């Protein structure tokens, strides 16, 4: 349940950033694609559509995503996306075959680059 909620919240954050963050919008320029994050059994899945510099998301899978990140199970997906060092967690998961990537791997790197725009800004003291 936590993983399902995390994917929903990720969609919400990306949708908001695509409307309010010019730097995030810039990263979406020229992109027209759908990607998805899911568990290996597809019981928890969410797809994200990038079109006209906006992001929308819906529950479930699509037939032909530009790329898909498939986690071995919901618990592992949640832990990976919440890890302090996400890049290391992803690399370890791929190496251990707990994470599978299908489709365009270059777009996966683009997606990971988007995540820095979703982190809350630290207040200057």
């Amino acid at each position: 349940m936590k993983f399902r909620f995390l994917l929903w919240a990720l969609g919400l954050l990306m949708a908001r950033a695509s409307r309010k963050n010019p730097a995030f919008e810039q990263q979406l320029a020229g992109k027209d694609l759908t990607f998805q994050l899911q568990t290996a059994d597809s019981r928890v899945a969410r797809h994200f559509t990038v079109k006209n510099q906006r992001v929308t998301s819906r529950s479930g899978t699509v037939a032909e995503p530009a790329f898909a990140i498939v986690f071995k199970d919901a618990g592992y997906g949640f832990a990976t996306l919440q890890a302090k060092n996400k890049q290391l967690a992803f690399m370890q998961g791929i190496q251990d075959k707990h994470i599978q990537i299908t489709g365009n791997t270059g777009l996966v790197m683009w997606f990971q680059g988007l995540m820095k725009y979703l982190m809350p800004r630290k207040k200057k003291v």
Side-chain angles (χ1 to χ4, degrees), residues 12-44:
L12 195 66
L13 288 170
M14 287 197 299
R16 183 181 312 147
S18 73
R19 291 188 313 271
K20 298 185 178 203
N21 185 333
F24 188 85
E25 281 185 67
Q26 188 79 29
Q27 295 299 313
L28 302 178
K31 300 285 189 223
D32 186 2
L33 58 98
T34 299
F35 64 93
Q36 64 192 26
L37 303 176
Q38 68 184 77
T39 57
D41 62 6
S42 296
R43 291 182 74 188
V44 179

Side-chain angles (χ1 to χ4, degrees), residues 84-104:
K84 284 189 188 251
N85 188 340
K86 289 173 186 47
Q87 192 169 17
L88 178 64
F90 262 92
M91 296 309 290
Q92 188 68 46
I94 291 168
Q95 197 170 37
D96 294 342
K97 298 195 184 330
H98 296 314
I99 299 173
Q100 297 174 353
I101 296 175
T102 59
N104 186 335

Side-chain angles (χ1 to χ4, degrees), residues 2 6 12 18 21 25 28 30 52 57-60 73 76 90 94 96 104 106 109-110 119 121:
K2 289 192 280 185
L6 181 64
L12 195 66
S18 73
N21 185 333
E25 281 185 67
L28 302 178
N52 298 326
S57 76
R58 293 200 179 279
S59 182
D73 58 38
Y76 189 82
F90 262 92
I94 291 168
D96 294 342
N104 186 335
M109 301 306 262
W110 164 80
M119 297 298 127
R121 291 195 180 122

